[in-house]
Amino acid sequence: MFFKENGNFRLIIMTTNTLLFPFVRVVGQEKMKKALLLNIIDPGIGGVLIKGEKGTAKSTSVRSLAQILPERPTVVGCPFHCDPRYPKRMCMQCQEKVNAGIQLESKMMPMSVIELPLSATEDRVSGTLDLEHVLKTGEKKFEPGVLAQANGNVLYVDEVNLLDDHIIDLLLDSAAMGVNYIEREGVSFSHPAKFILVGSMNPEEGSLRPQLLDRFGLCVDIEGEKDVNVRMEVIERRMEFDRNPEKYLEDCGSDIEAMRSKIVAARELLPEVVMDKKIVHDIVMTSIHFNMEGHRADITMMRAAKANAALEGRKEVTKEDLRTIAPLVLAHRLKKRAFDNVTFDEKELDLCLGM
């Protein structure tokens, strides 16, 4: 595991070389794995919040994503890891080089899982401007933070419900806009910050405000397995991994590569996936039926349904896609009164979709 120390701040980057229990060997928790994969295929879905009791493979699944994340081109030497395929999304320095006719050198790098510690301050998250340098030279000097490192990657916040609300707002705003804005004493700076935000939490330790819940594209509520055979399988796989992690990872190497290839294929297929007006109508009627406010749920359902079709190798969205993704999109957006325990009724969804 690679640690980058910066004062009292710790940045954790999960790479494919880290000996983590493999994502492809996590038993059960299919909805959680589906939500994570859909966000990798289409980061525009808006991230995922994983809620569940301790010991249900939340952190293990997210951190081990690094093993199956695809590679992407990045500009060599750019602190923001700009993608040369999208010039309009690049930082000012890279854009200036392009405008000056300078050929940008690029290389392929695997996406990473970057973990944000709960102790992180706003400056450490967004980065800092050296005002003294600005006053002396007239040039902006920026010290990159977590959002700079997260650009083009997965940003993971464990126990996100314990993070200060203003930090969560900052993360969600940056994830939604794809840009991080910093302003200090009238001096401003911006850089690309397009990342997949993943949060996990144990509801027993507190909850998130409804306004923040709505900003996460998908949400999954998970529980520990109750089936005896499944629980035995969980224990046996973990014991085998602990005995010899290197061999265990080597043995499932073909499955890891197959999953990575499946993700790459789905991302390439996604622009070709179509959705007819009947499916759009079903999405809108489903949102109305479950009393969704605004249009965020509708748009998220559309994107998630297309990503699910692409994941399954199809170019057309079906009602089955809606049935698969609707609970992930709608459950955390249901209106609740104080002390109510509202659960999403999938039978009601079937009736709404006519299935």
Side-chain angles (χ1 to χ4, degrees), residues 23 36 50 57-66 113 154 156 198:
F23 183 89
L36 291 169
I50 305 170
K58 299 188 298 295
S59 298
T60 296
S61 298
V62 178
R63 289 166 178 157
S64 63
L65 279 176
V113 176
V154 176
Y156 175 46
V198 179

Side-chain angles (χ1 to χ4, degrees), residues 31-265:
K31 288 186 177 181
M32 174 178 64
K33 291 187 284 190
K34 172 77 74 173
L36 291 169
L37 292 175
L38 294 181
N39 271 277
I40 296 171
I41 294 167
D42 181 6
I45 288 173
V48 57
L49 176 64
I50 305 170
K51 300 165 61 179
E53 56 198 34
K54 56 184 179 291
T56 48
K58 299 188 298 295
S59 298
T60 296
S61 298
V62 178
R63 289 166 178 157
S64 63
L65 279 176
Q67 300 165 345
I68 61 171
L69 289 173
E71 292 186 331
R72 68 182 187 93
T74 59
V75 176
V76 175
C78 176
F80 310 110
H81 313 287
C82 285
D83 190 329
R85 295 174 298 178
Y86 309 107
K88 292 184 178 179
R89 299 181 191 172
M90 294 193 297
C91 66
M92 290 185 292
Q93 296 94 320
C94 289
Q95 288 186 10
E96 288 173 356
K97 291 179 181 178
V98 171
N99 293 336
I102 300 174
Q103 182 69 34
L104 297 177
E105 182 184 355
S106 65
K107 65 178 180 179
M108 297 298 293
M109 289 185 62
M111 293 175 63
S112 302
V113 176
I114 299 170
E115 189 167 347
L116 177 72
L118 290 176
S119 60
T121 63
E122 183 175 347
D123 283 346
R124 297 302 186 185
V125 174
S126 62
T128 56
L129 280 167
D130 189 336
L131 296 179
E132 184 178 351
H133 182 83
V134 173
L135 293 173
K136 285 183 177 180
T137 67
E139 297 178 352
K140 296 177 182 178
K141 184 179 180 181
F142 178 69
E143 180 67 27
V146 173
L147 294 181
Q149 186 66 40
N151 185 41
N153 295 309
V154 176
L155 179 59
Y156 175 46
V157 186
D158 192 14
E159 299 180 321
V160 64
N161 52 321
L162 304 182
L163 201 63
D164 290 341
D165 279 355
H166 74 281
I167 298 293
I168 299 176
D169 282 326
L170 175 62
L171 296 176
L172 290 169
D173 286 342
S174 297
M177 295 186 297
V179 179
N180 177 35
Y181 291 98
I182 308 98
E183 185 166 351
R184 300 288 187 273
E185 304 296 332
V187 180
S188 61
F189 184 84
S190 66
H191 68 79
K194 194 172 183 63
F195 55 87
I196 303 167
L197 180 62
V198 179
S200 62
M201 57 178 278
N202 183 347
E204 294 179 355
E205 299 173 343
S207 59
L208 287 174
R209 289 185 286 117
Q211 297 90 331
L212 295 177
L213 279 174
D214 182 57
R215 300 283 296 279
F216 280 94
L218 308 181
C219 181
V220 187
D221 287 285
I222 60 175
E223 298 178 346
E225 297 289 349
K226 301 298 189 291
D227 183 271
V228 173
N229 293 326
V230 175
R231 290 179 74 100
M232 289 176 61
E233 182 68 18
V234 171
I235 295 170
E236 289 170 356
R237 290 190 184 188
R238 184 70 211 195
M239 291 177 65
E240 184 180 354
F241 172 79
D242 289 341
R243 278 195 295 269
N244 193 335
E246 291 87 353
K247 184 178 185 305
Y248 194 86
L249 286 169
E250 182 180 346
D251 289 344
C252 63
S254 59
D255 291 335
I256 291 174
E257 185 56 39
M259 178 61 75
R260 187 184 298 113
S261 298
K262 186 176 182 179
I263 292 171
V264 171

